[in-house]
Amino acid sequence: MFGFLKGLGVTLSQLPRKKVTLQYPDVRPEWPERFRGVHRFIPELCIVCHQCARICPTSCISLSGTRDENRKMRIDTFDINFDICILCDLCTEVCPTEAILMSDTFELADYTRDSMYLDMHWLYENQLRYERAHPDRVTRPAGGEQAGEA
Ligand code: SF4
Ligand code: SF4
């Protein structure tokens, strides 16, 4: 009996407290700026140096590029296999131009593994979504000549 009353007391003491759980997915979490979610990518900043692919511990980045008329390397394809990406952040750490960055996107669950292969266009769309959601965090000017985090 004492144990029951003790347990009931603990339960009642929690009732007036502020709730820490969210009614996800109706209420979505606000992740901190350094949250390591699915990448975003800015194609015009990529110099095709392959550093991200080389450092990736799971070899889940594949990319290709060609030289343009000014002999600058331009990215043609950039794919990440999120089936095996461990969101370790190493690729964004080594990128010299901040072309690849982490975002707060975290929902990739699906019924097929094929949907885990995300290409340059999806990753750029994720960049645009991130810019819309967090204009205070992104200082990339219109036209995308340079990028930087606020
Ligand atoms: S976060 Fe880590 S595992 Fe994922 S692509 Fe980047 S380096 Fe590879
Ligand atoms: S994303 Fe960054 S590290 Fe990867 S190839 Fe492009 S410039 Fe190099």
Side-chain angles (χ1 to χ4, degrees):
M1 186 65 181
F2 175 72
F4 169 75
L5 291 174
K6 190 176 170 187
L8 190 61
V10 171
T11 302
L12 292 174
S13 72
Q14 295 298 316
L15 285 179
R17 293 201 176 171
K18 186 172 180 286
K19 291 182 177 55
V20 294
T21 52
L22 295 176
Q23 294 299 315
Y24 176 84
D26 297 326
V27 180
R28 305 180 67 76
E30 178 70 27
W31 299 116
E33 191 167 351
R34 291 185 64 80
F35 181 77
R36 297 208 305 246
V38 176
H39 304 67
R40 48 200 168 101
F41 181 64
I42 307 169
E44 64 263 32
L45 293 181
C46 180
I47 55 175
V48 199
C49 65
H50 289 261
Q51 290 197 54
C52 52
R54 282 196 201 102
I55 201 164
C56 178
T58 63
S59 302
C60 62
I61 298 179
S62 53
L63 62 102
S64 65
T66 48
R67 285 195 193 280
D68 65 12
E69 63 277 8
N70 300 316
R71 298 203 45 77
K72 280 190 172 176
M73 288 300 288
R74 299 283 180 201
I75 192 78
D76 290 330
T77 64
F78 190 98
D79 305 300
I80 302 181
N81 176 6
F82 284 97
D83 212 11
I84 54 176
C85 171
I86 55 175
L87 298 172
C88 66
D89 200 22
L90 286 176
C91 53
T92 72
E93 290 288 328
V94 298
C95 179
T97 63
E98 296 189 341
I100 184 84
L101 298 156
M102 307 305 271
S103 81
D104 57 357
T105 302
F106 64 98
E107 297 156 309
L108 284 187
D110 208 339
Y111 292 104
T112 66
R113 291 191 162 181
D114 289 348
S115 65
M116 298 292 135
Y117 286 84
L118 299 181
D119 65 9
M120 186 163 79
H121 305 293
W122 190 100
L123 296 167
Y124 182 55
E125 281 299 319
N126 197 36
Q127 165 68 20
L128 298 180
R129 184 208 60 76
Y130 189 88
E131 288 180 11
R132 286 192 297 272
H134 306 289
D136 53 317
R137 295 183 187 176
V138 180
T139 57
R140 190 168 75 108
E145 289 302 310
Q146 291 178 339
E149 296 303 289

